[in-house]
Amino acid sequence: MNGQALVTGAGKRLGRAMALELGRQGFDVAVHYAGSETGATEVVAELEAMGRRAVALQADLTAEAEMQALVPRAIAALGGPLTVLVNNASIFEYDNLETATRESWDAHMESNLRAPFVLMQHFSAQVPDPVMDDQGEPVAQGLVVNMLDQRVRKLTPHFMTYTLAKMGLWTLTQTAARGLAPRVRVNGIGPGPTLQGANQPDAAYAHQRANTVLKRGSNPADITGALVYFLSAPGVTGQLLCTDGGQHLGWRTPDISGVD
């Protein structure tokens, strides 16, 4: 694939890595950010240094009007239709069934589910028609990659409203893959311990990585590798790649006989 991409939350962390990887793959990129203006500006500069066209676009993806406007703004800024949408921006804050509030519910649902849904609506409406390959079969000209979380494969009662929103996004990924075919492919990436959380102690992060099935976490290169795979696999849709060191496969729970 080639063309033009929109990556949300691309001013830092994994969004930044994916935006830069798209540039290396030949895409012009709209770099969305909420508050990371400096980071987004740096990403744009790096993309331009690759010879790519890039623009930083600020939007609050918990605000309906701003999420509705983002795809049209990206198309106008890049001068043509988008062929890739990466729904990466996310609010990730702790709550559980006892502590969740209407505010935490709304924040997680808006950022992790409503915004991707709206962006996918606008994205799918402008994707070019499929082209035919040398076997006479259609090749989708649109790709959506939704950033999920390995926890959709391994549910816990922690981060309750975040988890509910990501489960909804996983459902959206699968149903949209059905509804938008063959024009658009829709897939997901489910990171595990990849980058240390802002409020996560060093020891807790190291413990989390060391206690996956592979005794290691993943790195940003695992996430960008999954993205490149989806870019290069026209026969793949409705899939989730958990790039998590096997965290979602964890089975050494207290109910298993013989496990300490």
Short mmCIF file of all heavy atoms in Angstrom, two decimals, residues 91-158:
data_model
loop_
_atom_site.label_atom_id
_atom_site.label_comp_id
_atom_site.label_asym_id
_atom_site.label_seq_id
_atom_site.Cartn_x
_atom_site.Cartn_y
_atom_site.Cartn_z
N ILE A 91 -7.24 7.34 26.16
CA ILE A 91 -7.16 7.66 27.58
C ILE A 91 -7.08 6.35 28.34
O ILE A 91 -7.85 5.42 28.08
CB ILE A 91 -8.37 8.49 28.04
CG1 ILE A 91 -8.30 9.89 27.41
CG2 ILE A 91 -8.44 8.59 29.56
CD1 ILE A 91 -9.52 10.76 27.69
N PHE A 92 -6.12 6.25 29.28
CA PHE A 92 -5.87 5.02 30.02
C PHE A 92 -5.66 5.40 31.48
O PHE A 92 -4.56 5.76 31.89
CB PHE A 92 -4.64 4.31 29.44
CG PHE A 92 -4.22 3.06 30.19
CD1 PHE A 92 -5.08 1.98 30.29
CD2 PHE A 92 -2.96 2.98 30.76
CE1 PHE A 92 -4.68 0.83 30.96
CE2 PHE A 92 -2.55 1.82 31.42
CZ PHE A 92 -3.41 0.74 31.53
N GLU A 93 -6.74 5.35 32.23
CA GLU A 93 -6.69 5.73 33.63
C GLU A 93 -7.38 4.66 34.47
O GLU A 93 -8.35 4.04 34.02
CB GLU A 93 -7.37 7.09 33.85
CG GLU A 93 -6.65 8.23 33.13
CD GLU A 93 -7.37 9.56 33.24
OE1 GLU A 93 -8.52 9.56 33.75
OE2 GLU A 93 -6.81 10.57 32.81
N TYR A 94 -6.88 4.47 35.68
CA TYR A 94 -7.38 3.37 36.50
C TYR A 94 -8.75 3.66 37.08
O TYR A 94 -9.02 4.74 37.61
CB TYR A 94 -6.42 3.05 37.65
CG TYR A 94 -6.88 1.81 38.41
CD1 TYR A 94 -6.56 0.55 37.94
CD2 TYR A 94 -7.69 1.92 39.54
CE1 TYR A 94 -7.02 -0.58 38.58
CE2 TYR A 94 -8.15 0.79 40.19
CZ TYR A 94 -7.81 -0.46 39.71
OH TYR A 94 -8.29 -1.59 40.34
N ASP A 95 -9.64 2.68 36.98
CA ASP A 95 -10.84 2.60 37.80
C ASP A 95 -11.25 1.14 37.87
O ASP A 95 -10.68 0.27 37.21
CB ASP A 95 -11.98 3.51 37.30
CG ASP A 95 -12.54 3.13 35.94
OD1 ASP A 95 -12.17 2.06 35.39
OD2 ASP A 95 -13.35 3.90 35.39
N ASN A 96 -12.21 0.84 38.74
CA ASN A 96 -12.78 -0.50 38.80
C ASN A 96 -14.28 -0.35 38.99
O ASN A 96 -14.82 0.77 38.94
CB ASN A 96 -12.12 -1.34 39.90
CG ASN A 96 -12.21 -0.69 41.27
OD1 ASN A 96 -13.22 -0.08 41.62
ND2 ASN A 96 -11.14 -0.80 42.05
N LEU A 97 -14.96 -1.46 39.20
CA LEU A 97 -16.42 -1.40 39.27
C LEU A 97 -16.89 -0.51 40.42
O LEU A 97 -17.91 0.18 40.30
CB LEU A 97 -16.99 -2.81 39.43
CG LEU A 97 -18.51 -2.95 39.32
CD1 LEU A 97 -18.99 -2.50 37.95
CD2 LEU A 97 -18.94 -4.38 39.59
N GLU A 98 -16.14 -0.49 41.50
CA GLU A 98 -16.53 0.31 42.66
C GLU A 98 -16.20 1.79 42.51
O GLU A 98 -16.92 2.65 43.02
CB GLU A 98 -15.84 -0.22 43.93
CG GLU A 98 -16.36 -1.57 44.42
CD GLU A 98 -15.88 -2.74 43.59
OE1 GLU A 98 -14.79 -2.61 42.97
OE2 GLU A 98 -16.57 -3.78 43.55
N THR A 99 -15.11 2.11 41.81
CA THR A 99 -14.64 3.50 41.77
C THR A 99 -15.01 4.24 40.49
O THR A 99 -14.85 5.45 40.41
CB THR A 99 -13.12 3.55 41.94
OG1 THR A 99 -12.49 2.91 40.81
CG2 THR A 99 -12.68 2.88 43.23
N ALA A 100 -15.47 3.53 39.47
CA ALA A 100 -15.79 4.18 38.19
C ALA A 100 -16.87 5.25 38.38
O ALA A 100 -17.81 5.08 39.15
CB ALA A 100 -16.23 3.15 37.16
N THR A 101 -16.72 6.34 37.65
CA THR A 101 -17.67 7.44 37.69
C THR A 101 -18.21 7.70 36.30
O THR A 101 -17.71 7.15 35.31
CB THR A 101 -16.99 8.73 38.19
OG1 THR A 101 -15.98 9.11 37.23
CG2 THR A 101 -16.35 8.52 39.56
N ARG A 102 -19.22 8.56 36.21
CA ARG A 102 -19.71 8.94 34.89
C ARG A 102 -18.59 9.61 34.09
O ARG A 102 -18.47 9.42 32.87
CB ARG A 102 -20.91 9.90 35.03
CG ARG A 102 -21.51 10.32 33.68
CD ARG A 102 -21.98 9.09 32.90
NE ARG A 102 -22.24 9.36 31.53
CZ ARG A 102 -23.42 9.13 30.93
NH1 ARG A 102 -24.43 8.66 31.63
NH2 ARG A 102 -23.58 9.37 29.66
N GLU A 103 -17.73 10.37 34.78
CA GLU A 103 -16.64 11.07 34.10
C GLU A 103 -15.62 10.08 33.54
O GLU A 103 -15.17 10.22 32.40
CB GLU A 103 -15.96 12.05 35.06
CG GLU A 103 -16.79 13.28 35.40
CD GLU A 103 -17.97 12.98 36.32
OE1 GLU A 103 -17.93 11.96 37.07
OE2 GLU A 103 -18.96 13.75 36.28
N SER A 104 -15.25 9.06 34.34
CA SER A 104 -14.27 8.09 33.83
C SER A 104 -14.88 7.25 32.71
O SER A 104 -14.20 6.91 31.74
CB SER A 104 -13.74 7.20 34.96
OG SER A 104 -14.74 6.33 35.48
N TRP A 105 -16.16 6.91 32.84
CA TRP A 105 -16.86 6.18 31.78
C TRP A 105 -16.82 6.97 30.48
O TRP A 105 -16.43 6.47 29.43
CB TRP A 105 -18.29 5.90 32.21
CG TRP A 105 -19.16 5.29 31.14
CD1 TRP A 105 -19.79 5.95 30.13
CD2 TRP A 105 -19.49 3.91 30.99
NE1 TRP A 105 -20.50 5.07 29.35
CE2 TRP A 105 -20.33 3.81 29.86
CE3 TRP A 105 -19.17 2.75 31.71
CZ2 TRP A 105 -20.83 2.58 29.43
CZ3 TRP A 105 -19.68 1.53 31.27
CH2 TRP A 105 -20.50 1.46 30.14
N ASP A 106 -17.25 8.23 30.54
CA ASP A 106 -17.33 9.05 29.33
C ASP A 106 -15.96 9.26 28.70
O ASP A 106 -15.81 9.18 27.47
CB ASP A 106 -17.96 10.41 29.65
CG ASP A 106 -19.46 10.31 29.90
OD1 ASP A 106 -20.06 9.25 29.60
OD2 ASP A 106 -20.03 11.30 30.39
N ALA A 107 -14.95 9.53 29.52
CA ALA A 107 -13.61 9.77 28.98
C ALA A 107 -13.09 8.56 28.23
O ALA A 107 -12.55 8.68 27.11
CB ALA A 107 -12.65 10.16 30.11
N HIS A 108 -13.24 7.37 28.81
CA HIS A 108 -12.73 6.16 28.16
C HIS A 108 -13.56 5.78 26.95
O HIS A 108 -13.01 5.38 25.91
CB HIS A 108 -12.66 5.01 29.16
CG HIS A 108 -11.55 5.14 30.15
ND1 HIS A 108 -11.76 5.28 31.49
CD2 HIS A 108 -10.21 5.19 29.97
CE1 HIS A 108 -10.60 5.39 32.11
NE2 HIS A 108 -9.65 5.35 31.21
N MET A 109 -14.87 5.92 27.04
CA MET A 109 -15.71 5.55 25.91
C MET A 109 -15.54 6.51 24.74
O MET A 109 -15.48 6.09 23.57
CB MET A 109 -17.18 5.51 26.33
CG MET A 109 -17.52 4.38 27.29
SD MET A 109 -17.32 2.77 26.48
CE MET A 109 -17.55 1.68 27.92
N GLU A 110 -15.43 7.79 25.02
CA GLU A 110 -15.27 8.76 23.94
C GLU A 110 -13.94 8.58 23.22
O GLU A 110 -13.88 8.56 21.99
CB GLU A 110 -15.38 10.19 24.50
CG GLU A 110 -16.75 10.57 25.01
CD GLU A 110 -17.78 10.65 23.90
OE1 GLU A 110 -17.56 11.39 22.92
OE2 GLU A 110 -18.82 9.97 24.02
N SER A 111 -12.85 8.45 23.97
CA SER A 111 -11.52 8.41 23.36
C SER A 111 -11.22 7.06 22.73
O SER A 111 -10.57 6.99 21.67
CB SER A 111 -10.44 8.75 24.39
OG SER A 111 -10.37 7.76 25.41
N ASN A 112 -11.66 5.97 23.35
CA ASN A 112 -11.27 4.64 22.92
C ASN A 112 -12.29 3.94 22.02
O ASN A 112 -11.95 2.92 21.42
CB ASN A 112 -11.02 3.75 24.15
CG ASN A 112 -9.79 4.17 24.93
OD1 ASN A 112 -8.68 4.11 24.43
ND2 ASN A 112 -10.01 4.60 26.16
N LEU A 113 -13.51 4.47 21.95
CA LEU A 113 -14.54 3.80 21.15
C LEU A 113 -15.28 4.76 20.24
O LEU A 113 -15.35 4.55 19.02
CB LEU A 113 -15.52 3.06 22.06
CG LEU A 113 -16.62 2.26 21.37
CD1 LEU A 113 -16.04 1.25 20.38
CD2 LEU A 113 -17.50 1.56 22.40
N ARG A 114 -15.85 5.82 20.79
CA ARG A 114 -16.62 6.76 19.97
C ARG A 114 -15.73 7.42 18.91
O ARG A 114 -16.11 7.47 17.73
CB ARG A 114 -17.29 7.82 20.86
CG ARG A 114 -18.00 8.93 20.09
CD ARG A 114 -19.19 8.41 19.30
NE ARG A 114 -19.83 9.47 18.54
CZ ARG A 114 -20.74 9.26 17.60
NH1 ARG A 114 -21.12 8.03 17.30
NH2 ARG A 114 -21.29 10.27 16.96
N ALA A 115 -14.58 7.93 19.30
CA ALA A 115 -13.72 8.60 18.33
C ALA A 115 -13.28 7.66 17.21
O ALA A 115 -13.38 8.02 16.03
CB ALA A 115 -12.51 9.24 19.03
N PRO A 116 -12.77 6.45 17.50
CA PRO A 116 -12.44 5.54 16.40
C PRO A 116 -13.63 5.25 15.49
O PRO A 116 -13.48 5.16 14.27
CB PRO A 116 -11.96 4.28 17.12
CG PRO A 116 -11.41 4.77 18.40
CD PRO A 116 -12.31 5.90 18.79
N PHE A 117 -14.82 5.10 16.08
CA PHE A 117 -16.02 4.83 15.29
C PHE A 117 -16.28 5.98 14.31
O PHE A 117 -16.50 5.76 13.11
CB PHE A 117 -17.22 4.65 16.23
CG PHE A 117 -18.51 4.32 15.52
CD1 PHE A 117 -18.85 3.01 15.26
CD2 PHE A 117 -19.37 5.33 15.12
CE1 PHE A 117 -20.05 2.70 14.61
CE2 PHE A 117 -20.57 5.03 14.47
CZ PHE A 117 -20.91 3.72 14.22
N VAL A 118 -16.25 7.20 14.80
CA VAL A 118 -16.50 8.37 13.95
C VAL A 118 -15.42 8.51 12.88
O VAL A 118 -15.72 8.75 11.70
CB VAL A 118 -16.59 9.64 14.81
CG1 VAL A 118 -16.55 10.89 13.94
CG2 VAL A 118 -17.86 9.62 15.66
N LEU A 119 -14.16 8.34 13.27
CA LEU A 119 -13.08 8.47 12.30
C LEU A 119 -13.20 7.40 11.22
O LEU A 119 -12.95 7.66 10.04
CB LEU A 119 -11.72 8.38 12.99
CG LEU A 119 -11.41 9.49 14.00
CD1 LEU A 119 -10.01 9.30 14.57
CD2 LEU A 119 -11.54 10.87 13.38
N MET A 120 -13.59 6.20 11.60
CA MET A 120 -13.78 5.14 10.62
C MET A 120 -14.93 5.44 9.67
O MET A 120 -14.86 5.13 8.47
CB MET A 120 -13.99 3.80 11.32
CG MET A 120 -12.73 3.26 11.98
SD MET A 120 -13.02 1.87 13.10
CE MET A 120 -13.60 0.63 11.96
N GLN A 121 -15.99 6.06 10.17
CA GLN A 121 -17.09 6.45 9.30
C GLN A 121 -16.61 7.40 8.21
O GLN A 121 -16.88 7.20 7.01
CB GLN A 121 -18.19 7.13 10.11
CG GLN A 121 -19.07 6.20 10.92
CD GLN A 121 -20.18 6.96 11.61
OE1 GLN A 121 -19.96 7.99 12.23
NE2 GLN A 121 -21.41 6.45 11.50
N HIS A 122 -15.91 8.45 8.62
CA HIS A 122 -15.43 9.44 7.65
C HIS A 122 -14.35 8.86 6.74
O HIS A 122 -14.31 9.16 5.54
CB HIS A 122 -14.90 10.67 8.38
CG HIS A 122 -15.98 11.52 9.00
ND1 HIS A 122 -16.77 12.36 8.26
CD2 HIS A 122 -16.40 11.63 10.29
CE1 HIS A 122 -17.63 12.98 9.05
NE2 HIS A 122 -17.44 12.55 10.29
N PHE A 123 -13.49 8.03 7.31
CA PHE A 123 -12.42 7.41 6.52
C PHE A 123 -12.99 6.51 5.44
O PHE A 123 -12.62 6.61 4.26
CB PHE A 123 -11.50 6.62 7.45
CG PHE A 123 -10.43 5.84 6.75
CD1 PHE A 123 -9.26 6.45 6.34
CD2 PHE A 123 -10.59 4.48 6.50
CE1 PHE A 123 -8.26 5.73 5.69
CE2 PHE A 123 -9.61 3.74 5.86
CZ PHE A 123 -8.44 4.37 5.45
N SER A 124 -13.91 5.63 5.82
CA SER A 124 -14.44 4.66 4.85
C SER A 124 -15.20 5.34 3.72
O SER A 124 -15.23 4.84 2.59
CB SER A 124 -15.34 3.64 5.56
OG SER A 124 -16.48 4.27 6.13
N ALA A 125 -15.80 6.50 4.02
CA ALA A 125 -16.59 7.21 3.00
C ALA A 125 -15.72 7.77 1.89
O ALA A 125 -16.24 8.04 0.79
CB ALA A 125 -17.39 8.33 3.65
N GLN A 126 -14.42 7.96 2.14
CA GLN A 126 -13.58 8.59 1.13
C GLN A 126 -12.50 7.67 0.55
O GLN A 126 -11.70 8.09 -0.30
CB GLN A 126 -12.92 9.86 1.71
CG GLN A 126 -12.12 9.66 3.00
CD GLN A 126 -10.71 9.18 2.78
OE1 GLN A 126 -9.89 9.94 2.24
NE2 GLN A 126 -10.40 7.96 3.20
N VAL A 127 -12.48 6.42 0.96
CA VAL A 127 -11.48 5.49 0.45
C VAL A 127 -11.74 5.18 -1.02
O VAL A 127 -12.89 4.92 -1.41
CB VAL A 127 -11.48 4.18 1.29
CG1 VAL A 127 -10.68 3.08 0.60
CG2 VAL A 127 -10.93 4.44 2.68
N PRO A 128 -10.72 5.21 -1.85
CA PRO A 128 -10.91 4.85 -3.26
C PRO A 128 -11.42 3.42 -3.42
O PRO A 128 -11.25 2.57 -2.55
CB PRO A 128 -9.50 5.00 -3.85
CG PRO A 128 -8.79 5.93 -2.92
CD PRO A 128 -9.34 5.64 -1.56
N ASP A 129 -12.03 3.16 -4.55
CA ASP A 129 -12.52 1.81 -4.83
C ASP A 129 -11.37 0.82 -4.93
O ASP A 129 -10.23 1.20 -5.24
CB ASP A 129 -13.31 1.80 -6.14
CG ASP A 129 -14.64 2.54 -6.03
OD1 ASP A 129 -15.18 2.61 -4.91
OD2 ASP A 129 -15.12 3.03 -7.06
N PRO A 130 -11.63 -0.47 -4.68
CA PRO A 130 -10.58 -1.48 -4.81
C PRO A 130 -10.03 -1.52 -6.24
O PRO A 130 -10.72 -1.15 -7.20
CB PRO A 130 -11.30 -2.79 -4.47
CG PRO A 130 -12.50 -2.38 -3.68
CD PRO A 130 -12.90 -1.05 -4.22
N VAL A 131 -8.78 -1.96 -6.34
CA VAL A 131 -8.19 -2.23 -7.64
C VAL A 131 -8.07 -3.74 -7.79
O VAL A 131 -8.09 -4.48 -6.80
CB VAL A 131 -6.81 -1.55 -7.80
CG1 VAL A 131 -6.95 -0.04 -7.68
CG2 VAL A 131 -5.82 -2.09 -6.77
N MET A 132 -7.98 -4.19 -9.02
CA MET A 132 -7.89 -5.62 -9.27
C MET A 132 -6.43 -6.04 -9.41
O MET A 132 -5.63 -5.35 -10.04
CB MET A 132 -8.66 -5.99 -10.54
CG MET A 132 -10.16 -5.74 -10.41
SD MET A 132 -10.89 -6.77 -9.10
CE MET A 132 -12.56 -6.09 -9.06
N ASP A 133 -6.09 -7.17 -8.80
CA ASP A 133 -4.73 -7.69 -8.94
C ASP A 133 -4.63 -8.54 -10.19
O ASP A 133 -5.58 -8.63 -10.98
CB ASP A 133 -4.30 -8.45 -7.68
CG ASP A 133 -5.13 -9.71 -7.43
OD1 ASP A 133 -5.86 -10.16 -8.34
OD2 ASP A 133 -5.05 -10.25 -6.30
N ASP A 134 -3.47 -9.18 -10.38
CA ASP A 134 -3.27 -9.92 -11.63
C ASP A 134 -4.07 -11.23 -11.67
O ASP A 134 -4.07 -11.92 -12.70
CB ASP A 134 -1.78 -10.20 -11.85
CG ASP A 134 -1.13 -10.92 -10.68
OD1 ASP A 134 -1.84 -11.36 -9.76
OD2 ASP A 134 0.12 -11.05 -10.68
N GLN A 135 -4.74 -11.56 -10.58
CA GLN A 135 -5.64 -12.72 -10.59
C GLN A 135 -7.10 -12.30 -10.74
O GLN A 135 -8.00 -13.14 -10.66
CB GLN A 135 -5.47 -13.50 -9.28
CG GLN A 135 -4.08 -14.07 -9.07
CD GLN A 135 -3.99 -14.86 -7.78
OE1 GLN A 135 -4.69 -15.86 -7.58
NE2 GLN A 135 -3.12 -14.44 -6.89
N GLY A 136 -7.30 -10.99 -10.93
CA GLY A 136 -8.66 -10.50 -11.09
C GLY A 136 -9.43 -10.38 -9.80
O GLY A 136 -10.67 -10.34 -9.81
N GLU A 137 -8.71 -10.33 -8.67
CA GLU A 137 -9.36 -10.22 -7.36
C GLU A 137 -9.17 -8.81 -6.80
O GLU A 137 -8.12 -8.18 -7.02
CB GLU A 137 -8.79 -11.25 -6.39
CG GLU A 137 -9.08 -12.68 -6.81
CD GLU A 137 -8.51 -13.71 -5.86
OE1 GLU A 137 -7.49 -13.42 -5.21
OE2 GLU A 137 -9.06 -14.81 -5.78
N PRO A 138 -10.14 -8.31 -6.03
CA PRO A 138 -10.05 -6.94 -5.53
C PRO A 138 -9.02 -6.80 -4.42
O PRO A 138 -8.86 -7.68 -3.57
CB PRO A 138 -11.46 -6.65 -5.00
CG PRO A 138 -12.02 -8.00 -4.67
CD PRO A 138 -11.42 -8.95 -5.67
N VAL A 139 -8.32 -5.67 -4.44
CA VAL A 139 -7.36 -5.31 -3.39
C VAL A 139 -7.88 -4.05 -2.71
O VAL A 139 -8.02 -2.99 -3.34
CB VAL A 139 -5.96 -5.06 -3.96
CG1 VAL A 139 -5.00 -4.63 -2.84
CG2 VAL A 139 -5.44 -6.29 -4.68
N ALA A 140 -8.20 -4.15 -1.44
CA ALA A 140 -8.72 -3.00 -0.70
C ALA A 140 -7.71 -1.86 -0.71
O ALA A 140 -6.51 -2.07 -0.54
CB ALA A 140 -9.03 -3.40 0.74
N GLN A 141 -8.20 -0.66 -0.91
CA GLN A 141 -7.35 0.52 -0.92
C GLN A 141 -7.37 1.28 0.40
O GLN A 141 -6.74 2.32 0.53
CB GLN A 141 -7.77 1.45 -2.06
CG GLN A 141 -7.59 0.85 -3.43
CD GLN A 141 -6.15 0.45 -3.72
OE1 GLN A 141 -5.31 1.32 -3.91
NE2 GLN A 141 -5.87 -0.85 -3.73
N GLY A 142 -8.08 0.75 1.37
CA GLY A 142 -8.13 1.35 2.69
C GLY A 142 -7.77 0.35 3.77
O GLY A 142 -8.12 -0.84 3.69
N LEU A 143 -7.02 0.82 4.78
CA LEU A 143 -6.66 -0.02 5.92
C LEU A 143 -6.86 0.78 7.20
O LEU A 143 -6.34 1.89 7.33
CB LEU A 143 -5.19 -0.46 5.83
CG LEU A 143 -4.61 -1.13 7.08
CD1 LEU A 143 -5.29 -2.48 7.34
CD2 LEU A 143 -3.10 -1.31 6.95
N VAL A 144 -7.61 0.20 8.13
CA VAL A 144 -7.74 0.75 9.48
C VAL A 144 -7.01 -0.17 10.43
O VAL A 144 -7.20 -1.40 10.39
CB VAL A 144 -9.21 0.87 9.91
CG1 VAL A 144 -9.31 1.36 11.36
CG2 VAL A 144 -9.98 1.81 8.98
N VAL A 145 -6.17 0.40 11.27
CA VAL A 145 -5.51 -0.36 12.34
C VAL A 145 -5.92 0.26 13.66
O VAL A 145 -5.62 1.43 13.93
CB VAL A 145 -3.98 -0.36 12.19
CG1 VAL A 145 -3.34 -1.09 13.38
CG2 VAL A 145 -3.57 -1.03 10.88
N ASN A 146 -6.63 -0.50 14.45
CA ASN A 146 -7.08 -0.05 15.76
C ASN A 146 -6.13 -0.56 16.84
O ASN A 146 -5.87 -1.76 16.91
CB ASN A 146 -8.50 -0.55 16.06
CG ASN A 146 -9.54 0.12 15.19
OD1 ASN A 146 -9.45 1.32 14.91
ND2 ASN A 146 -10.54 -0.64 14.75
N MET A 147 -5.64 0.35 17.65
CA MET A 147 -4.78 -0.05 18.75
C MET A 147 -5.67 -0.51 19.89
O MET A 147 -6.40 0.27 20.50
CB MET A 147 -3.88 1.10 19.17
CG MET A 147 -2.87 1.50 18.12
SD MET A 147 -1.78 0.12 17.63
CE MET A 147 -0.82 -0.05 19.14
N LEU A 148 -5.57 -1.80 20.18
CA LEU A 148 -6.37 -2.41 21.23
C LEU A 148 -5.49 -2.61 22.47
O LEU A 148 -4.77 -1.71 22.87
CB LEU A 148 -6.97 -3.71 20.71
CG LEU A 148 -7.98 -3.49 19.57
CD1 LEU A 148 -8.20 -4.77 18.78
CD2 LEU A 148 -9.30 -2.99 20.13
N ASP A 149 -5.54 -3.76 23.07
CA ASP A 149 -4.77 -4.05 24.28
C ASP A 149 -4.87 -5.55 24.47
O ASP A 149 -5.95 -6.13 24.27
CB ASP A 149 -5.38 -3.30 25.47
CG ASP A 149 -4.49 -3.32 26.71
OD1 ASP A 149 -4.16 -4.44 27.17
OD2 ASP A 149 -4.15 -2.25 27.23
N GLN A 150 -3.77 -6.18 24.88
CA GLN A 150 -3.82 -7.62 25.09
C GLN A 150 -4.88 -8.02 26.10
O GLN A 150 -5.35 -9.15 26.12
CB GLN A 150 -2.45 -8.14 25.54
CG GLN A 150 -1.94 -7.60 26.86
CD GLN A 150 -2.53 -8.24 28.09
OE1 GLN A 150 -2.89 -9.42 28.06
NE2 GLN A 150 -2.64 -7.49 29.18
N ARG A 151 -5.32 -7.05 26.93
CA ARG A 151 -6.30 -7.40 27.97
C ARG A 151 -7.65 -7.78 27.40
O ARG A 151 -8.47 -8.37 28.11
CB ARG A 151 -6.42 -6.27 29.00
CG ARG A 151 -7.08 -5.01 28.55
CD ARG A 151 -7.08 -3.95 29.65
NE ARG A 151 -5.74 -3.58 30.08
CZ ARG A 151 -5.29 -3.71 31.34
NH1 ARG A 151 -6.07 -4.19 32.28
NH2 ARG A 151 -4.07 -3.35 31.63
N VAL A 152 -7.91 -7.50 26.11
CA VAL A 152 -9.18 -7.98 25.54
C VAL A 152 -9.15 -9.50 25.37
O VAL A 152 -10.20 -10.11 25.19
CB VAL A 152 -9.52 -7.29 24.20
CG1 VAL A 152 -9.55 -5.77 24.36
CG2 VAL A 152 -8.58 -7.69 23.08
N ARG A 153 -7.95 -10.09 25.40
CA ARG A 153 -7.80 -11.55 25.39
C ARG A 153 -7.68 -12.12 26.80
O ARG A 153 -7.75 -13.33 26.98
CB ARG A 153 -6.55 -11.94 24.61
CG ARG A 153 -6.55 -11.56 23.15
CD ARG A 153 -7.48 -12.43 22.35
NE ARG A 153 -7.14 -12.40 20.94
CZ ARG A 153 -7.97 -12.73 19.97
NH1 ARG A 153 -9.21 -13.11 20.27
NH2 ARG A 153 -7.60 -12.68 18.72
N LYS A 154 -7.43 -11.27 27.78
CA LYS A 154 -7.21 -11.73 29.15
C LYS A 154 -7.84 -10.71 30.09
O LYS A 154 -7.19 -9.81 30.61
CB LYS A 154 -5.71 -11.88 29.44
CG LYS A 154 -5.40 -12.47 30.80
CD LYS A 154 -3.90 -12.53 31.03
CE LYS A 154 -3.60 -13.15 32.39
NZ LYS A 154 -2.15 -13.13 32.69
N LEU A 155 -9.13 -10.88 30.32
CA LEU A 155 -9.88 -9.89 31.08
C LEU A 155 -9.53 -9.91 32.56
O LEU A 155 -9.30 -10.97 33.15
CB LEU A 155 -11.37 -10.13 30.90
CG LEU A 155 -11.91 -9.95 29.49
CD1 LEU A 155 -13.37 -10.39 29.42
CD2 LEU A 155 -11.78 -8.50 29.05
N THR A 156 -9.49 -8.72 33.15
CA THR A 156 -9.33 -8.56 34.60
C THR A 156 -10.34 -7.50 35.04
O THR A 156 -10.87 -6.75 34.22
CB THR A 156 -7.91 -8.09 34.98
OG1 THR A 156 -7.78 -6.68 34.73
CG2 THR A 156 -6.84 -8.85 34.21
N PRO A 157 -10.59 -7.39 36.34
CA PRO A 157 -11.50 -6.34 36.81
C PRO A 157 -10.84 -4.98 36.97
O PRO A 157 -11.49 -4.04 37.42
CB PRO A 157 -11.97 -6.89 38.16
CG PRO A 157 -10.83 -7.71 38.65
CD PRO A 157 -10.23 -8.33 37.43
N HIS A 158 -9.58 -4.87 36.60
CA HIS A 158 -8.86 -3.60 36.72
C HIS A 158 -9.05 -2.77 35.45
O HIS A 158 -9.28 -3.30 34.37
CB HIS A 158 -7.38 -3.86 36.98
CG HIS A 158 -7.13 -4.64 38.23
ND1 HIS A 158 -7.41 -4.15 39.48
CD2 HIS A 158 -6.65 -5.90 38.42
CE1 HIS A 158 -7.10 -5.06 40.39
NE2 HIS A 158 -6.64 -6.14 39.77
#
